[in-house]
Amino acid sequence: MNHEDLADLRAEFDKFVQEKCSLEPEQNGAQNPDIGDKEDEEPVPQFVDALTEKLLAPAISGVYLSRLDIKRIAEGIDESLPIKERLKMVRALFRHTTSKDYLRTAFDEINKHINGRVLIYNQLAEAFPASKTVFEENIVKAEKTKKMFEQIIEDFEEIEPTDDPMFI
Protein backbone atom coordinates (compact mmCIF):
# COMPACT_ATOMS: atom_id res chain seq x y z
CA MET A 1 0.00 0.00 0.00
CA ASN A 2 1.27 3.42 -0.81
CA HIS A 3 0.86 6.60 1.20
CA GLU A 4 -1.80 8.02 -1.14
CA ASP A 5 -4.05 5.01 -0.50
CA LEU A 6 -3.56 5.41 3.25
CA ALA A 7 -4.27 9.14 3.03
CA ASP A 8 -7.49 8.44 1.08
CA LEU A 9 -8.52 5.79 3.59
CA ARG A 10 -7.79 8.16 6.49
CA ALA A 11 -9.81 10.96 4.87
CA GLU A 12 -12.73 8.59 4.30
CA PHE A 13 -12.55 7.41 7.91
CA ASP A 14 -12.42 10.99 9.25
CA LYS A 15 -15.46 11.89 7.14
CA PHE A 16 -17.34 8.86 8.50
CA VAL A 17 -16.48 9.77 12.09
CA GLN A 18 -17.53 13.38 11.51
CA GLU A 19 -20.92 12.36 10.07
CA LYS A 20 -21.82 9.39 12.24
CA CYS A 21 -20.10 9.98 15.56
CA SER A 22 -20.75 13.64 16.17
CA LEU A 23 -20.66 14.87 19.73
CA GLU A 24 -22.54 18.06 18.91
CA PRO A 25 -25.53 18.39 21.31
CA GLU A 26 -27.92 19.55 18.60
CA GLN A 27 -27.12 16.49 16.47
CA ASN A 28 -27.00 13.99 19.33
CA GLY A 29 -30.71 13.22 19.25
CA ALA A 30 -30.51 12.09 15.65
CA GLN A 31 -27.33 10.10 16.23
CA ASN A 32 -28.07 8.57 19.62
CA PRO A 33 -31.45 6.87 20.12
CA ASP A 34 -30.69 6.49 23.85
CA ILE A 35 -30.64 10.24 24.35
CA GLY A 36 -34.24 10.13 25.54
CA ASP A 37 -37.80 11.03 24.78
CA LYS A 38 -40.38 12.91 26.80
CA GLU A 39 -41.75 9.48 27.67
CA ASP A 40 -38.47 8.65 29.42
CA GLU A 41 -39.05 11.56 31.78
CA GLU A 42 -42.53 10.39 32.88
CA PRO A 43 -42.78 9.30 36.52
CA VAL A 44 -42.67 5.62 37.39
CA PRO A 45 -44.05 3.70 40.37
CA GLN A 46 -41.93 3.96 43.49
CA PHE A 47 -40.62 0.38 43.37
CA VAL A 48 -39.09 0.75 39.89
CA ASP A 49 -36.01 2.69 40.97
CA ALA A 50 -35.11 0.15 43.65
CA LEU A 51 -35.89 -2.69 41.24
CA THR A 52 -33.65 -1.37 38.48
CA GLU A 53 -30.86 -0.65 40.94
CA LYS A 54 -30.85 -4.27 42.07
CA LEU A 55 -31.97 -6.11 38.93
CA LEU A 56 -29.58 -4.47 36.47
CA ALA A 57 -26.49 -4.88 38.64
CA PRO A 58 -25.09 -8.40 38.22
CA ALA A 59 -23.11 -8.00 41.45
CA ILE A 60 -26.43 -7.69 43.30
CA SER A 61 -28.83 -9.81 41.22
CA GLY A 62 -26.39 -12.53 40.24
CA VAL A 63 -27.37 -12.32 36.56
CA TYR A 64 -26.88 -9.94 33.67
CA LEU A 65 -29.98 -8.99 31.72
CA SER A 66 -29.08 -7.54 28.35
CA ARG A 67 -31.19 -5.18 26.26
CA LEU A 68 -32.28 -8.13 24.19
CA ASP A 69 -33.31 -10.05 27.32
CA ILE A 70 -35.44 -7.11 28.46
CA LYS A 71 -36.97 -6.87 24.99
CA ARG A 72 -37.82 -10.59 25.09
CA ILE A 73 -39.32 -10.19 28.57
CA ALA A 74 -41.53 -7.41 27.25
CA GLU A 75 -42.59 -9.53 24.26
CA GLY A 76 -43.34 -12.40 26.65
CA ILE A 77 -45.98 -10.25 28.35
CA ASP A 78 -47.31 -8.78 25.09
CA GLU A 79 -45.59 -5.42 25.47
CA SER A 80 -43.54 -3.62 22.87
CA LEU A 81 -40.38 -1.80 23.90
CA PRO A 82 -37.87 -0.01 21.72
CA ILE A 83 -34.28 -1.02 22.37
CA LYS A 84 -32.69 1.72 24.45
CA GLU A 85 -30.53 1.91 27.51
CA ARG A 86 -31.40 -0.98 29.88
CA LEU A 87 -32.53 1.34 32.67
CA LYS A 88 -34.93 3.16 30.35
CA MET A 89 -36.28 -0.13 29.03
CA VAL A 90 -37.08 -1.46 32.51
CA ARG A 91 -38.63 1.86 33.51
CA ALA A 92 -40.80 1.78 30.37
CA LEU A 93 -41.81 -1.82 31.10
CA PHE A 94 -43.16 -0.92 34.54
CA ARG A 95 -44.19 2.71 33.93
CA HIS A 96 -47.93 2.07 33.66
CA THR A 97 -48.22 -0.75 36.19
CA THR A 98 -51.61 -0.67 37.88
CA SER A 99 -52.24 -4.26 38.95
CA LYS A 100 -50.58 -7.08 40.81
CA ASP A 101 -51.47 -9.42 37.94
CA TYR A 102 -49.34 -7.39 35.54
CA LEU A 103 -46.46 -7.39 38.03
CA ARG A 104 -46.79 -11.12 38.60
CA THR A 105 -46.78 -11.80 34.84
CA ALA A 106 -43.76 -9.54 34.28
CA PHE A 107 -41.82 -11.03 37.17
CA ASP A 108 -42.68 -14.57 36.05
CA GLU A 109 -41.17 -13.74 32.67
CA ILE A 110 -38.07 -12.24 34.31
CA ASN A 111 -37.82 -15.37 36.48
CA LYS A 112 -37.72 -17.51 33.33
CA HIS A 113 -34.65 -15.60 32.19
CA ILE A 114 -33.04 -15.79 35.63
CA ASN A 115 -33.74 -19.53 35.80
CA GLY A 116 -32.06 -19.92 32.41
CA ARG A 117 -28.95 -18.23 33.78
CA VAL A 118 -29.05 -20.38 36.91
CA LEU A 119 -29.19 -23.49 34.72
CA ILE A 120 -26.12 -22.27 32.85
CA TYR A 121 -24.35 -21.56 36.15
CA ASN A 122 -25.10 -25.10 37.35
CA GLN A 123 -23.74 -26.58 34.13
CA LEU A 124 -20.60 -24.46 34.36
CA ALA A 125 -20.12 -25.38 38.03
CA GLU A 126 -20.23 -29.06 37.07
CA ALA A 127 -17.87 -28.57 34.15
CA PHE A 128 -15.43 -26.43 36.14
CA PRO A 129 -15.45 -27.59 39.78
CA ALA A 130 -12.73 -25.13 40.81
CA SER A 131 -15.10 -22.25 39.94
CA LYS A 132 -18.11 -23.78 41.68
CA THR A 133 -18.06 -21.28 44.57
CA VAL A 134 -18.30 -18.33 42.17
CA PHE A 135 -21.31 -19.79 40.43
CA GLU A 136 -22.94 -20.75 43.72
CA GLU A 137 -22.65 -17.15 44.92
CA ASN A 138 -24.41 -15.94 41.77
CA ILE A 139 -27.12 -18.58 42.17
CA VAL A 140 -27.76 -17.41 45.76
CA LYS A 141 -27.99 -13.80 44.56
CA ALA A 142 -30.40 -14.83 41.78
CA GLU A 143 -32.65 -16.61 44.29
CA LYS A 144 -32.67 -13.50 46.52
CA THR A 145 -33.65 -11.43 43.50
CA LYS A 146 -36.59 -13.73 42.78
CA LYS A 147 -37.71 -13.41 46.42
CA MET A 148 -37.53 -9.63 46.06
CA PHE A 149 -40.10 -9.90 43.24
CA GLU A 150 -42.54 -11.64 45.57
CA GLN A 151 -42.08 -8.90 48.17
CA ILE A 152 -42.72 -6.19 45.57
CA ILE A 153 -45.90 -7.92 44.43
CA GLU A 154 -47.08 -8.31 48.02
CA ASP A 155 -46.39 -4.65 48.87
CA PHE A 156 -47.85 -3.23 45.65
CA GLU A 157 -51.07 -1.28 46.01
CA GLU A 158 -53.31 -1.64 42.99
CA ILE A 159 -54.59 1.49 41.34
CA GLU A 160 -58.05 1.46 39.88
CA PRO A 161 -58.39 3.45 36.67
CA THR A 162 -61.51 5.09 38.09
CA ASP A 163 -59.74 6.29 41.24
CA ASP A 164 -59.45 10.04 41.33
CA PRO A 165 -56.47 11.09 43.46
CA MET A 166 -58.05 14.50 44.05
CA PHE A 167 -61.33 13.05 45.25
CA ILE A 168 -61.52 12.74 49.03
Side-chain angles (χ1 to χ4, degrees):
M1 259 190 155
N2 64 32
H3 290 290
E4 289 178 17
D5 290 341
L6 289 175
D8 289 344
L9 182 61
R10 179 66 184 186
E12 190 176 326
F13 177 75
D14 288 340
K15 180 182 174 188
F16 172 79
V17 168
Q18 185 76 18
E19 291 173 0
K20 303 295 183 186
C21 303
S22 175
L23 296 176
E24 300 294 322
E26 63 273 358
Q27 293 179 355
N28 232 1
Q31 299 295 328
N32 185 356
D34 281 349
I35 200 73
D37 304 343
K38 287 183 181 181
E39 182 179 288
D40 292 335
E41 302 303 320
E42 289 181 17
V44 294
Q46 189 174 15
F47 71 89
V48 175
D49 290 330
L51 174 71
T52 55
E53 185 179 303
K54 293 177 181 166
L55 181 64
L56 297 181
I60 297 172
S61 68
V63 297
Y64 178 81
L65 294 176
S66 68
R67 295 175 186 199
L68 188 57
D69 291 327
I70 299 167
K71 176 103 173 137
R72 287 180 179 153
I73 289 165
E75 289 171 353
I77 59 173
D78 296 327
E79 292 286 333
S80 178
L81 287 180
I83 293 185
K84 294 183 176 185
E85 187 179 317
R86 293 179 322 133
L87 174 68
K88 291 178 182 178
M89 291 177 74
V90 172
R91 289 174 62 95
L93 186 64
F94 293 106
R95 178 168 285 121
H96 302 293
T97 302
T98 57
S99 71
K100 287 185 179 186
D101 289 336
Y102 179 84
L103 273 180
R104 190 168 286 109
T105 304
F107 288 149
D108 286 347
E109 195 65 32
I110 294 171
N111 281 339
K112 288 180 188 177
H113 285 265
I114 291 174
N115 290 338
R117 297 306 193 282
V118 168
L119 181 64
I120 292 170
Y121 293 161
N122 285 327
Q123 291 171 347
L124 289 171
E126 287 178 25
F128 304 101
S131 300
K132 188 173 184 173
T133 57
V134 174
F135 295 116
E136 286 176 345
E137 287 176 24
N138 286 335
I139 291 170
V140 168
K141 290 176 185 178
E143 294 302 323
K144 281 184 182 179
T145 301
K146 293 191 311 188
K147 287 180 184 176
M148 177 185 68
F149 297 157
E150 291 302 318
Q151 187 63 44
I152 291 172
I153 292 170
E154 185 178 311
D155 293 345
F156 185 75
E157 294 181 22
E158 291 190 7
I159 302 168
E160 293 295 323
T162 58
D163 287 350
D164 183 3
M166 301 306 287
F167 184 74
I168 297 179

